[in-house]
Amino acid sequence: MADSWVNPAERIGSDLHLDLNPEMAKGGGRRAALGRALREAIGSGRLAPGTRLPPYRSLAADLGLARNTVAETYGELVAEGWLVARQGSGTRVAPRAKPVGSPRVPKPMPARAEPPAHNLRQGLPDAASFPRTAWLAAARRALNAAPNDAFGPGDPRGRPELRRALAGYLSRARGVRTSPETIVVCSGVAPALRLLFGGKVLRGPLAVESYGLPFHRSILRAARVRTVPLTLDEHGARATELFALKGARATLLTPAHQFPTGGPLHPERRAAAVDWARGNEGVLLEDDYDGEFRYDREPVGSVQGLDPQRVVYLGSLSKSLSPALRLGWMVLPDHLVEPVLRVKGEREAWAGVTDQLTLADLIESGHYDRHIRRTRQRYRDRRDRLVALLARRAPHITLTGVAAGLHAVLSLPPGTERPVTRAAAWQHIAVDGLAGFRHPAASMPAHDGLVVGYAAPPDHGFEAALDALCGVLPPPPDRD
Amino acid sequence: MADSWVNPAERIGSDLHLDLNPEMAKGGGRRAALGRALREAIGSGRLAPGTRLPPYRSLAADLGLARNTVAETYGELVAEGWLVARQGSGTRVAPRAKPVGSPRVPKPMPARAEPPAHNLRQGLPDAASFPRTAWLAAARRALNAAPNDAFGPGDPRGRPELRRALAGYLSRARGVRTSPETIVVCSGVAPALRLLFGGKVLRGPLAVESYGLPFHRSILRAARVRTVPLTLDEHGARATELFALKGARATLLTPAHQFPTGGPLHPERRAAAVDWARGNEGVLLEDDYDGEFRYDREPVGSVQGLDPQRVVYLGSLSKSLSPALRLGWMVLPDHLVEPVLRVKGEREAWAGVTDQLTLADLIESGHYDRHIRRTRQRYRDRRDRLVALLARRAPHITLTGVAAGLHAVLSLPPGTERPVTRAAAWQHIAVDGLAGFRHPAASMPAHDGLVVGYAAPPDHGFEAALDALCGVLPPPPDRD
């Protein structure tokens, strides 16, 4: 067989070189290779619109292919619109299949921002801690045990195996009162907010904490939900302000560990928030984004346990395993289960079935708890190193919110946040100032500070990251 | 140690029985068990608001626990709002933590519809064919080879490994002209439409086929996109009608296999659609939902190959592997890549990283192609059995759209669709009539028919399902 098709001169222009070899190497046999070679030649403009192709038998002879192979390939390309075949005038390159640029190479994507030299951004767990072996073992057990219907269209509530495992885990570890029937699996807390408010299961106005995740606010804005900021102090959000907010229908709180300032919500305020919801047909959304990670005593249980019919409890794997898994859950009051499922719909399982089954096994087998314990220890060590280093290098700087979570807040003297974050950027330190988390309508006094995530940097780079951070902090005040 | 705590009479009411054993069995140690038992007793109302709890030391002695364990547990429950501690008056059940129903059992979900006796609904692959072993082997290779940053926050475009694998596969198998830079991973075709139109990357009015997926139309309606139906005939959608639709900005087509009527789009119409897009700054959306499954000749390549800068190519694993994986892709013209990523955002990777990495390996290792070939053979056999049985049992009924895909259309005499679908429902046969797919504004004549999915029924039930179907078809017309 010939391995190239050089210049069947008078018919298709003198510079055509139809080399089947590179296409053969991609597999699929000779016929597929011929099809690809022809498409490439037409697409790149080497075979111009209107050009007449050689009859089957000539091309077949030239290329050492069976006549049928060529005929079928022509037929395919006619069906696809590359070629046109007319009785009496043979097969030609379609007039419309004009080239879109000689071998079209799409513009490269604009480069993403350089990775920072030191990543102290909040919200990231340690990617190196992902328990690959345990995950794979759980996947093997789970996929082998799964019924066939797991690979069918799927239940919008999420797999029953996972809802059962989560009901047990959340009750045990987070004091959530639930059953598999009131859990709906989703792909994270932010998608849950989008579903609840974008799908009009819940409506605003929504009371939020004066400092919080800007990303959540932007989701709510996109859903046309007005947010009203609650004042924060050392005991968390002033829940009693809810009673004065006429018209508020829901409130979004981070009771276990206020994000980003770091304290747990005071017991009286937890009770007040529940009271408000009860007395005002309100809904309390509990964003339990890092509830497992409390270092100096047992984790604070959920507010949801106080009144499961008034609280929507939201959680995910983003801090405990990986944000790239896109797996989360809502624990819903009974009356919200159906509305949520209606909005979610049959086709929107969102979280893939393999991850759902795997997580169910990971929890039931005890490996999830083990992973939490191991990473909790690891993050506590990180936290201790951060506290110790700052006490030594910058004793004039107060560190708060260190009892829990994957980040701490470093309080700065008034007016210094902007210069410090600018200096950090110059030193390629990725770290957020408090200002970016502040609700635009917040009326409480603004505090200067940095939100320092300490989980993500690799071990070997952690010391250097902290050193770099200390280097951009304001000097101690002069003592006279 | 005591294994239950019976009636510490005068302090907490005479009928309290605090049994730690069931809670101990759930793990987490004694302290966790005590916390859960107390929460349960308060939550269920057995410990009424205001009830004074015994001092640490008495309860510790009663339960055979260390005093500190009880003290810490009380502290925890105070922090969570279950208990209040006041100097001089001991620890009491919080007045607000009122019971929400004696041991709260959420209402069971309304039962989902009974599974049908025979499932001939379109759109479902054979769940039993999911290649568990190959998938798990690919997951093992992929997760072990993945860099740590795969478990970091994730790239909104999708993992580079997957985009590379898809670029090769789609070019080879579907004639798509692309590179990893113009592919964006998502969770399916419907979510892609929601993102493109809901996120206002593309705008309506949108021309669609007169018969199509109602679910897609409802997504577009929710995004406030007006859809305008194109007439369908045996050559697919009449693309030339696009030129007369003043104001239309995009068109959504199923060129490889019109959904649900079943034919490929005629080459001249493929070209006309591309021409329209070129001349009118329009965008052609190509829903290639089952392009791999063509039985009697090579699959028809994509329209996208004719002009990658005018076509958005959409595909997913829903027909080839499982709809429960929620994994799909968009191949975008260069100028749409950035707008799509802006809407998708950093936090919305959607498809989990483990599935993305696994699919990349499955494709690169050749196992995906092997799976497609195996299932194609399987579905072709199914199709052949359907054709043969109908020819024998109901020769007066025409079957169309049998050359490809996972479903066929059974043409019914005018006026018989409603009675046939009703009879099917009585016989617990799940099968859709054509009417449900018709665009409400379609002006072409309506056809009576059934859309018969033949991939999903288990092997052992396929014959019976077809028998049942034949039983509800209209009898042959009388011959005089």
Side-chain angles (χ1 to χ4, degrees):
Chain A
M1 131 189 179
D3 58 7
S4 70
W5 173 41
V6 186
N7 190 15
E10 76 294 353
R11 286 189 303 267
I12 58 163
S14 57
D15 62 347
L16 187 76
H17 176 88
L18 195 64
D19 187 353
L20 286 192
N21 279 338
E23 298 298 336
M24 286 294 288
K26 294 183 192 165
R30 294 175 192 187
R31 175 167 148 191
L34 174 61
R36 288 196 300 262
L38 281 169
R39 281 189 207 98
E40 204 283 320
I42 301 167
S44 69
R46 290 191 293 135
L47 270 176
T51 308
R52 191 160 97 176
L53 264 67
Y56 313 146
R57 65 173 65 204
S58 333
L59 185 57
D62 285 352
L63 292 174
L65 298 172
R67 218 178 292 167
N68 256 354
T69 305
V70 179
E72 284 166 8
T73 307
Y74 278 20
E76 242 174 71
L77 269 74
V78 167
E80 293 174 12
W82 295 96
L83 302 177
V84 284
R86 293 228 195 291
Q87 200 63 36
S89 93
T91 304
R92 293 176 180 274
V93 175
R96 294 173 187 95
K98 73 176 177 198
V100 291
S102 39
R104 182 81 208 172
V105 180
K107 260 188 311 197
M109 289 275 297
R112 304 185 80 201
E114 270 301 276
H118 305 293
N119 194 351
L120 294 171
R121 198 147 268 156
Q122 56 71 36
L124 300 178
D126 174 24
S129 293
F130 186 82
R132 302 183 192 209
T133 309
W135 183 268
L136 283 166
R140 198 183 56 243
R141 287 188 301 263
L143 259 68
N144 284 330
N148 279 340
D149 77 11
F151 304 101
D155 187 331
R157 295 175 295 184
R159 284 301 298 172
E161 295 89 337
L162 178 57
R163 290 182 287 115
R164 272 197 299 274
L166 281 172
Y169 173 78
L170 294 173
S171 150
R172 175 162 54 74
R174 306 294 306 122
V176 171
R177 287 197 284 158
T178 183
S179 72
E181 285 73 27
T182 57
I183 295 179
V184 174
V185 175
C186 61
S187 54
V189 173
L193 290 177
R194 185 172 290 148
L195 184 143
L196 290 166
F197 288 94
K200 305 213 184 305
V201 174
L202 298 179
R203 283 163 196 274
L206 172 73
V208 298
E209 296 163 326
S210 281
Y211 285 78
L213 214 50
F215 180 57
H216 288 176
R217 287 198 298 266
S218 76
I219 286 178
L220 294 162
R221 210 166 35 238
R224 292 160 199 272
V225 172
R226 189 162 67 90
T227 55
V228 187
L230 298 172
T231 307
L232 287 173
D233 59 26
E234 69 278 23
H235 299 306
R238 286 200 193 139
T240 46
E241 291 179 357
L242 285 167
F243 293 95
L245 295 177
K246 294 301 167 210
R249 300 209 201 171
T251 180
L252 172 61
L253 301 173
T254 48
H257 186 222
Q258 203 283 324
F259 184 86
T261 63
L265 186 62
H266 189 278
E268 283 179 6
R269 295 187 177 177
R270 295 165 71 104
V274 171
D275 266 3
W276 168 81
R278 284 178 180 167
N280 294 274
E281 310 234 338
V283 174
L284 201 163
L285 291 123
E286 177 170 25
D287 177 3
D288 197 32
Y289 67 104
D290 67 358
E292 284 97 346
F293 295 105
R294 178 158 287 276
Y295 305 124
D296 305 312
R297 56 177 175 121
E298 289 287 300
V300 185
S302 71
V303 170
Q304 190 269 1
L306 294 179
D307 194 342
Q309 297 310 314
R310 287 286 155 202
V311 180
V312 172
Y313 173 93
L314 305 171
S316 84
L317 294 183
S318 293
K319 305 290 180 289
S320 62
L321 275 170
S322 161
L325 287 173
R326 311 309 302 144
L327 191 47
W329 42 85
M330 302 178 241
V331 180
L332 296 164
D334 297 348
H335 71 283
L336 292 181
V337 174
E338 274 302 318
V340 162
L341 294 178
R342 253 199 309 279
V343 172
K344 200 175 181 222
E346 289 288 331
R347 301 276 179 150
E348 283 305 286
W350 285 349
V353 67
T354 55
D355 287 344
Q356 291 191 49
L357 293 170
T358 302
L359 177 61
D361 182 281
L362 205 69
I363 292 173
E364 300 282 11
S365 65
H367 284 93
Y368 185 68
D369 287 66
R370 213 166 298 162
H371 173 74
I372 297 288
R373 280 198 301 275
R374 225 188 44 213
T375 46
R376 191 191 286 136
Q377 179 63 47
R378 184 180 167 76
Y379 297 149
R380 183 195 287 130
D381 292 348
R382 285 284 177 100
R383 193 265 324 248
D384 292 347
R385 285 164 71 187
L386 172 67
V387 171
L389 191 89
L390 276 178
R392 204 167 65 237
R393 295 270 311 263
H396 57 295
I397 302 284
T398 323
L399 202 56
T400 59
V402 294
L406 280 51
H407 71 270
V409 174
L410 219 141
S411 289
L412 296 175
T416 61
E417 182 180 312
R418 278 286 294 269
V420 166
T421 52
R422 211 173 306 139
W426 285 332
Q427 303 297 321
H428 303 289
I429 307 169
V431 66
D432 295 307
L434 262 180
F437 299 95
R438 185 178 167 86
H439 193 290
S443 58
M444 61 180 280
H447 295 293
D448 285 63
L450 291 183
V451 181
V452 179
Y454 49 77
D459 256 340
H460 60 82
F462 188 54
E463 211 73 40
L466 295 187
D467 269 344
L469 180 69
C470 287
V472 299
L473 294 179
D478 290 334
R479 293 190 206 174
D480 290 314
Chain B
M1 134 190 177
D3 57 8
S4 70
W5 174 42
V6 186
N7 189 15
E10 76 293 354
R11 287 188 302 267
I12 59 163
S14 58
D15 63 344
L16 186 77
H17 175 90
L18 195 66
D19 187 354
L20 286 191
N21 280 338
E23 298 298 337
M24 287 293 291
K26 294 183 193 164
R30 293 174 194 188
R31 176 167 148 190
L34 174 61
R36 288 195 301 262
L38 281 169
R39 279 187 209 99
E40 204 283 320
I42 301 168
S44 69
R46 290 191 292 134
L47 270 177
T51 308
R52 193 160 97 176
L53 263 68
Y56 313 147
R57 67 172 64 202
S58 333
L59 185 57
D62 285 352
L63 293 175
L65 298 173
R67 219 178 292 166
N68 257 354
T69 305
V70 179
E72 284 166 7
T73 307
Y74 278 20
E76 242 175 70
L77 268 74
V78 167
E80 293 174 13
W82 296 94
L83 301 177
V84 285
R86 292 230 195 293
Q87 200 64 36
S89 93
T91 304
R92 292 174 181 277
V93 175
R96 294 174 186 95
K98 72 175 179 196
V100 292
S102 39
R104 182 81 210 171
V105 180
K107 262 186 309 193
M109 290 275 299
R112 304 186 79 201
E114 271 300 273
H118 305 293
N119 193 352
L120 295 171
R121 196 148 268 154
Q122 55 70 37
L124 300 178
D126 175 22
S129 293
F130 186 82
R132 303 183 191 208
T133 309
W135 183 269
L136 283 167
R140 198 182 57 243
R141 288 188 301 264
L143 260 68
N144 285 330
N148 280 340
D149 75 11
F151 304 102
D155 188 330
R157 296 175 294 184
R159 284 299 301 172
E161 294 90 337
L162 178 56
R163 289 182 288 116
R164 274 197 298 274
L166 281 172
Y169 173 78
L170 294 174
S171 149
R172 174 161 55 74
R174 306 294 305 122
V176 170
R177 286 197 283 159
T178 184
S179 72
E181 284 74 27
T182 57
I183 295 179
V184 173
V185 176
C186 61
S187 54
V189 173
L193 290 177
R194 184 172 289 148
L195 185 142
L196 289 166
F197 289 94
K200 306 211 183 307
V201 174
L202 299 179
R203 284 164 195 273
L206 172 72
V208 298
E209 296 162 326
S210 281
Y211 285 78
L213 214 49
F215 180 58
H216 288 177
R217 288 198 298 266
S218 75
I219 285 177
L220 294 162
R221 209 164 39 237
R224 291 160 199 273
V225 172
R226 190 162 67 89
T227 56
V228 187
L230 298 172
T231 306
L232 287 174
D233 59 27
E234 68 278 23
H235 299 305
R238 285 199 194 139
T240 46
E241 292 179 356
L242 285 167
F243 294 96
L245 294 177
K246 293 301 166 213
R249 302 210 200 168
T251 180
L252 172 61
L253 300 173
T254 48
H257 186 222
Q258 203 283 323
F259 184 85
T261 62
L265 186 63
H266 190 278
E268 283 179 6
R269 295 188 178 177
R270 296 165 69 105
V274 170
D275 265 2
W276 169 81
R278 285 179 179 165
N280 294 273
E281 311 234 338
V283 174
L284 201 164
L285 291 123
E286 176 170 27
D287 177 2
D288 196 33
Y289 66 104
D290 67 358
E292 284 96 346
F293 296 104
R294 178 157 288 277
Y295 305 125
D296 305 312
R297 53 176 177 122
E298 289 286 300
V300 185
S302 71
V303 171
Q304 190 270 1
L306 293 180
D307 194 341
Q309 297 310 315
R310 287 286 155 202
V311 181
V312 171
Y313 173 93
L314 305 171
S316 84
L317 295 183
S318 293
K319 304 290 180 289
S320 62
L321 275 170
S322 161
L325 287 173
R326 310 310 302 144
L327 192 48
W329 43 85
M330 303 178 240
V331 179
L332 296 165
D334 296 349
H335 71 284
L336 291 181
V337 174
E338 274 302 320
V340 163
L341 294 178
R342 252 199 309 280
V343 172
K344 200 174 180 223
E346 288 287 332
R347 303 274 179 148
E348 284 304 286
W350 285 348
V353 67
T354 54
D355 287 345
Q356 292 190 48
L357 293 169
T358 302
L359 177 60
D361 182 282
L362 205 69
I363 292 172
E364 300 283 11
S365 64
H367 283 93
Y368 186 70
D369 287 67
R370 212 165 300 162
H371 173 74
I372 297 287
R373 279 198 302 275
R374 224 187 45 212
T375 47
R376 191 191 286 137
Q377 180 61 47
R378 184 180 167 76
Y379 298 149
R380 184 195 287 128
D381 292 349
R382 284 284 178 100
R383 191 266 322 248
D384 292 346
R385 285 163 72 187
L386 172 67
V387 170
L389 192 89
L390 276 176
R392 206 167 65 237
R393 296 270 312 264
H396 58 295
I397 301 285
T398 322
L399 202 56
T400 59
V402 295
L406 280 52
H407 71 270
V409 173
L410 219 140
S411 289
L412 296 174
T416 62
E417 181 181 312
R418 279 285 294 268
V420 167
T421 52
R422 212 173 305 143
W426 286 330
Q427 302 297 318
H428 304 288
I429 306 168
V431 67
D432 295 308
L434 261 180
F437 299 96
R438 185 177 166 86
H439 193 288
S443 59
M444 61 181 280
H447 295 293
D448 286 62
L450 292 183
V451 182
V452 178
Y454 49 77
D459 255 342
H460 60 82
F462 188 55
E463 211 73 41
L466 295 187
D467 267 345
L469 180 69
C470 287
V472 300
L473 294 178
D478 291 332
R479 296 190 201 171
D480 291 314

